[in-house]
Amino acid sequence: MPETSPTPFDLVLRAERTLVEGVWRPAAVGVRDGVVAAIGALDAPFATTGLDADRTLPADQVLLPGMVDTHVHVNEPGRTEWEGFASATRAAAAGGVTTIVDMPLNSIPPTVTVEALELKRAAAAAQSVVDVGFWGGVIPSNLGTGDLRALHEAGVFGFKAFLSPSGVDEFPHLSTEQLFAALRELTAFDGLLIVHAEDPGQLDAAAASLEVTAGGAVYDDFVRSRPEAVEQTAIEHVIDALRETGGRAHVLHLSSASALAAIRAAKAEGLRLTVETCPHYLTFDAESIGDGETQYKCCPPIRDERNRELLWEALVDGTVDIVASDHSPSTAALKFAGDGSFDLAWGGIAGLEVSFRAVWTGARARGIALETVVGWMSSGTAALVGLGATGSAGAAAPGSAAPGSAGRAPKGSIAVGGAADLVAFAPETPFTVDASTLRHRNPVSAFDGASLMGAVAGTWVAGVLVDSDAPPARLLRRV
């Protein structure tokens, strides 16, 4: 639409290929006060406030909305040696991610009370260069206490629960009965439950049936210790709870294709169920992981090539809704504990900075369009947490925003009135991942050495270029 106001723009970005509301077109995007104020022709005569505020992207770059990563473990406070808001948000920006939503663990304390949430916000406020929101947590001790409603009213985007041991003592898992209780409690105020879906009974059964080799270094033994039935059974419990309560649930990090039939049936039934998978499940396969290569350990595990391709098919047909990184870093000492023992090594993949490019690389190889990937990792993820055009969100200090400003502007799409969270991206530029150069705190990643496609040439959050002088971004609330 044309811009009629004589007021100059703070920033103008021009690109031959701009993804405007999901459609490619040549465009000039005018930004004012952190919001896309106008979209015009490529040569639109948009005035700016400074000589360097009008930028035309090179022909090999496209202009995209920033990615919204709804599954990031920042770990601060408490385990900041694993990761922190300064390092995580800079890694996000380097990967084209302009918004992250932080998980309630592995920080100490976990985000299971309003007091713990305020500690998280205080830690993030002065350090974060991309926008940050927060999940709350559901554990046995905060069920029925009023803490969940209080966290909801304080602005968390939903509530994380484990159905099997989480790996950290301060965040215990829910039993099946407690899962039902949690959904009943959340449904009273339409809160969203996000679920690590692995069933402890199935885990125990798998362990009892295995003859694990000494030291636990055989990757196939690790996968057999967490078979597909572990996920399928837990997801069926979630579906049963949704059917009873009428609540909302989101299945995190789906790795098992055997659960897809139950997910499809639940969606066809009209249950309010959404599902994500992760870049590592779409990139790697069990056949290519060597014994002792604990950089690939995650729970649920990376499975075989056939399973990976079924996950891609489920994304394309809409059974799986979104892709999020599940960035879960640790120190190298923890990741490689036990000299290659999958029993002892920390389970988590550090991939925030490369997640978008990893998924684009896999999609490109399968003939899937870039705009489809953006749908999975930007507009879709924004919609999950109410930050998209059909949702609502607000911002808290720093950079607190008045109604109508960037703090309430929808994310996930380049549109007039939308947040000016923008990425200049060269989709055909190859690169090889070097974990030692990634911005997250510890130089450990399963993606180390991977050959990927795409270069992030610039990331703007609310119209401000993220560089070494970038000011703190905003802390987001559900409203």
Side-chain angles (χ1 to χ4, degrees):
M1 62 177 284
E3 166 66 23
T4 58
S5 169
T7 306
F9 296 103
D10 304 321
L11 173 71
V12 174
L13 294 175
R14 304 173 189 270
E16 286 281 358
R17 295 185 67 213
T18 301
L19 192 61
V20 178
E21 299 186 78
V23 178
W24 295 108
R25 54 170 280 195
V29 177
V31 175
R32 188 182 298 123
D33 297 328
V35 173
V36 175
I39 300 174
L42 184 63
D43 59 355
F46 289 167
T48 62
T49 56
L51 293 176
D52 298 325
D54 192 325
R55 173 172 172 176
T56 299
L57 303 191
D60 65 334
Q61 294 178 15
V62 301
L63 187 62
L64 304 175
M67 302 306 115
V68 177
D69 193 336
T70 52
H71 194 154
V72 178
H73 294 266
V74 178
N75 305 335
E76 186 178 10
R79 291 190 173 95
T80 309
E81 72 274 16
W82 296 17
E83 187 66 282
F85 287 102
S87 51
T89 59
R90 282 162 177 78
V97 176
T98 53
T99 301
I100 65 171
V101 187
D102 173 62
M103 283 290 165
L105 75 164
N106 301 297
S107 56
I108 302 172
T111 315
V112 294
T113 65
V114 172
E115 292 76 14
L117 173 63
E118 292 308 317
L119 289 174
K120 276 280 188 98
R121 285 177 170 156
Q127 302 185 75
S128 302
V129 296
V130 304
D131 288 353
V132 180
F134 302 91
W135 296 108
V138 184
I139 60 176
S141 63
N142 71 351
L143 282 172
T145 63
D147 283 327
L148 301 184
R149 182 180 287 272
L151 280 163
H152 179 77
E153 291 173 354
V156 300
F157 288 96
F159 298 86
K160 169 79 173 281
F162 275 75
L163 303 186
S164 61
S166 71
V168 292
D169 293 340
E170 66 274 4
F171 203 96
H173 68 283
L174 303 182
S175 67
T176 302
E177 293 76 15
Q178 289 166 335
L179 163 68
F180 277 70
L183 262 173
R184 283 192 291 269
E185 186 170 346
L186 296 180
T187 301
F189 49 84
D190 202 31
L192 173 65
L193 184 69
I194 63 173
V195 185
H196 181 120
E198 290 187 290
D199 181 72
Q202 292 286 345
L203 286 172
D204 290 344
S209 69
L210 280 178
E211 295 180 4
V212 179
T213 57
V218 178
Y219 185 71
D220 184 59
D221 283 344
F222 172 62
V223 175
R224 290 192 297 128
S225 75
R226 306 182 96 92
E228 291 190 70
V230 170
E231 286 185 86
Q232 184 173 346
T233 299
I235 290 169
E236 288 169 354
H237 291 325
V238 173
I239 290 169
D240 289 343
L242 288 176
R243 188 177 292 117
E244 178 187 288
T245 64
R248 295 193 294 148
H250 176 73
V251 172
L252 299 164
H253 47 52
L254 180 73
S255 84
S256 171
S258 71
L260 292 171
I263 292 166
R264 289 187 176 108
K267 289 188 168 192
E269 187 180 337
L271 300 180
R272 297 197 292 170
L273 178 69
T274 54
V275 181
E276 74 183 41
T277 192
C278 303
H280 38 279
Y281 300 129
L282 299 171
T283 301
F284 305 119
D285 59 78
E287 294 90 337
S288 301
I289 298 174
D291 294 345
E293 292 185 340
T294 55
Q295 65 268 37
Y296 294 98
K297 180 183 176 182
C298 55
C299 299
I302 296 164
R303 304 189 188 277
D304 60 34
E305 182 179 5
R306 177 181 177 277
N307 184 89
R308 181 188 67 193
E309 296 311 309
L310 290 171
L311 291 177
W312 276 105
E313 291 175 12
L315 269 169
V316 171
D317 71 22
T319 304
V320 176
D321 300 272
I322 62 170
V323 183
S325 70
D326 190 8
H327 177 69
S328 185
S330 71
T331 63
L334 286 170
K335 193 61 184 163
F336 297 112
D339 294 325
S341 169
F342 285 94
D343 295 336
L344 299 177
W346 173 255
I349 303 293
L352 175 58
E353 186 171 334
V354 299
S355 289
F356 169 52
R357 288 172 288 176
V359 178
W360 161 236
T361 300
R364 179 180 177 276
R366 292 165 177 81
I368 299 169
L370 178 58
E371 59 266 31
T372 302
V373 176
V374 173
W376 295 333
M377 302 187 77
S378 183
S379 57
T381 46
L384 173 72
V385 292
L387 289 170
T390 58
S392 62
S400 58
S405 72
R408 295 182 183 272
K411 296 175 180 286
S413 177
I414 300 176
V416 173
D421 298 345
L422 304 165
V423 174
F425 184 63
E428 298 303 316
T429 298
F431 83 107
T432 300
V433 179
D434 179 350
S436 69
T437 67
L438 298 177
R439 276 73 163 183
H440 65 258
R441 186 173 298 277
N442 291 285
V444 179
S445 177
F447 291 94
D448 190 27
S451 297
L452 302 181
M453 295 296 294
V456 175
T459 299
W460 291 262
V461 176
V464 177
L465 179 67
V466 179
D467 58 17
S468 59
D469 298 321
R474 294 152 303 175
L475 306 185
L476 305 174
R477 298 173 183 262
R478 180 210 54 79
V479 294

